[in-house]
Amino acid sequence: MLHKILNLATSNGFVKRTVLAHLNMSQYEIGPIGEILRHNLMTEWYYNIVFNKDVTVIMNNGDFTGTYEYLKAFCSDRLPFGIADIKKLKKSYSTDEIIEHYKKGRDNRNTSFKDLMRHEEDSLCNCTIFVPPSNSTRFFHQWQQQRRMWWRKFSAGPGRYSLTDIKKGDNNSQRVEIIVKYPWGSESLETITLGSHDRKLTNAQLEFQENKKTIHAHAIVSQINLTSMFMNSICDAFDETLVVNKARKLLRLHKKLAPFKISLAVSGADQSSTAELSDLAVYICRQLRTNHVSTLLLPSSNQLKLDAQFKQYDELGVPYTILLSDSTLKDGIVFLRNRETTLKEQVHVSQLVTYIDQLLKNY
């Protein structure tokens, strides 16, 4: 199944194979369509972490200690508050290590999402929340549930996400992981730790006054590997069902994550009507893009049969497709096809942009 997903992702530009000729093997890296997906993932992570309703969180500007000191003063020396950042870690691997990663990915033996991708650079999405020690345990458990709900919110199969048991670490730290289960095994997506962090802050910097007492802030750290988050989004969204004895492969990407929210399909009876409908498709596409809706209009939309167009858009994970037919030229009605149900509803061209805006507005 994993190889089916990789083949689909490769053929649709989410990932691309990189041939390592000197080692006679290949690895994967993020493709051009995948870059849009990765950007959307980072945006949703940013909104969830930085605009958290309960805690003031700001992005680190590269100097964690300086950002911490500023935020501490900004919050009038009152807890809680947090710092988020995206760290790029460059790594070097020996030839033997690269070969071992390749074998794991090829054989599905203890497969990790990170084993499938190039390893020269990893991006880690981090968030460190500083909380009073009296509330740290409660906040730790609350944070776990909130983060698990975030993963489930974007999932086509929410039931596959779970929390591991809490594990004890050094200096009385506690660690829990959010994992996802697939037919080929489980993958760790996010690590949440209470009581330790990799930033060098002194005891004096961690001191706060609470009810005339001096307390030392506790740290709750969330860490996500961006490559794992990216690969999980594709694997989670993959679906294959039988429709009239034919396999229908598609990506059920959440509409907030999908690289393209809307696509356009054209079905004209003759060359003349097809040309008019193509012009109308360009007009609609321009309107949607002006309204900041990521819209896909391909030259093949007036060359391929409808089934072939729908197949391509489903594999790209496009949630909705606008179908323009000969009747559209008479009454101004288009059909809006839902990727999930394949059902089509009628919408007038004059109301299309407003209606789509409402569809995409909510999660």
Side-chain angles (χ1 to χ4, degrees), residues 16-273:
K16 59 181 179 180
R17 283 190 179 92
T18 302
V19 178
L20 305 177
H22 64 294
L23 297 177
N24 192 28
M25 63 177 63
S26 62
Q27 287 182 308
Y28 295 91
E29 57 186 303
I30 296 177
I33 302 299
E35 287 292 348
I36 308 176
L37 173 59
R38 179 166 68 168
H39 173 79
N40 292 345
L41 284 165
M42 292 174 63
T43 298
E44 292 301 323
W45 174 85
Y46 174 84
Y47 283 149
N48 180 260
I49 294 295
V50 176
F51 296 146
N52 185 285
K53 295 180 181 180
D54 301 324
V55 182
T56 298
V57 178
I58 64 173
M59 290 296 293
N60 180 25
N61 62 358
D63 175 13
F64 187 88
T65 302
T67 303
Y68 173 85
E69 292 287 6
Y70 169 81
L71 188 54
K72 184 178 180 181
F74 185 69
C75 293
S76 304
D77 283 5
R78 292 181 179 274
L79 297 168
F81 57 75
I83 301 174
D85 62 2
I86 298 176
K87 294 169 55 180
K88 291 187 176 181
L89 304 177
K90 290 189 176 181
K91 299 181 178 181
S92 59
Y93 287 85
S94 67
T95 299
D96 289 341
E97 288 174 321
I98 293 175
I99 292 174
E100 181 62 21
H101 281 304
Y102 171 75
K103 287 180 178 178
K104 287 181 179 179
R106 181 194 62 191
D107 300 335
N108 291 353
R109 177 170 54 86
N110 300 320
T111 299
S112 165
F113 290 144
K114 291 177 286 186
D115 291 331
L116 298 170
M117 308 294 285
R118 290 177 65 94
H119 308 287
E120 285 78 2
E121 184 176 274
D122 277 340
S123 294
L124 300 178
C125 299
N126 295 300
C127 180
T128 304
I129 307 293
F130 296 94
V131 296
S134 58
N135 293 333
S136 60
T137 300
R138 179 186 63 82
F139 197 97
F140 180 52
H141 290 285
Q142 180 182 342
W143 189 256
Q144 296 171 34
Q145 298 303 324
Q146 289 177 351
R147 293 302 302 153
R148 184 177 62 168
M149 287 174 60
W150 184 82
W151 287 99
R152 288 180 167 182
K153 178 173 64 175
F154 296 104
S155 173
R160 58 169 58 112
Y161 295 85
S162 60
L163 292 163
T164 63
D165 294 333
I166 296 176
K167 299 177 183 178
K168 299 291 185 179
D170 298 334
N171 300 320
N172 295 320
S173 65
Q174 301 178 53
R175 180 171 62 90
V176 67
E177 296 179 12
I178 297 175
I179 62 172
V180 59
K181 294 181 179 179
Y182 289 107
W184 59 84
S186 298
E187 176 76 21
S188 174
L189 297 175
E190 181 173 356
T191 302
I192 303 172
T193 306
L194 167 63
S196 66
H197 58 91
D198 61 353
R199 317 293 184 150
K200 294 182 179 179
L201 296 174
T202 65
N203 288 333
Q205 290 172 319
L206 292 170
E207 284 184 356
F208 290 81
Q209 294 297 317
E210 185 182 77
N211 299 327
K212 298 182 179 180
K213 292 182 179 180
T214 300
I215 62 172
H216 286 80
H218 285 185
I220 298 173
V221 182
S222 162
Q223 188 173 84
I224 305 170
N225 184 289
L226 186 54
T227 298
S228 295
M229 181 161 56
F230 169 80
M231 286 301 302
N232 175 69
S233 297
I234 295 174
C235 292
D236 180 279
F238 178 82
D239 188 27
E240 184 178 29
T241 56
L242 286 178
V243 179
V244 194
N245 296 323
K246 290 184 179 180
R248 178 189 178 224
K249 297 178 182 178
L250 72 157
L251 292 179
R252 299 187 184 277
L253 289 168
H254 191 280
K255 59 188 176 183
K256 292 292 183 179
L257 301 181
F260 303 102
K261 319 303 182 190
I262 301 290
S263 56
L264 289 116
V266 174
S267 177
D270 53 47
Q271 188 173 356
S272 175
S273 63

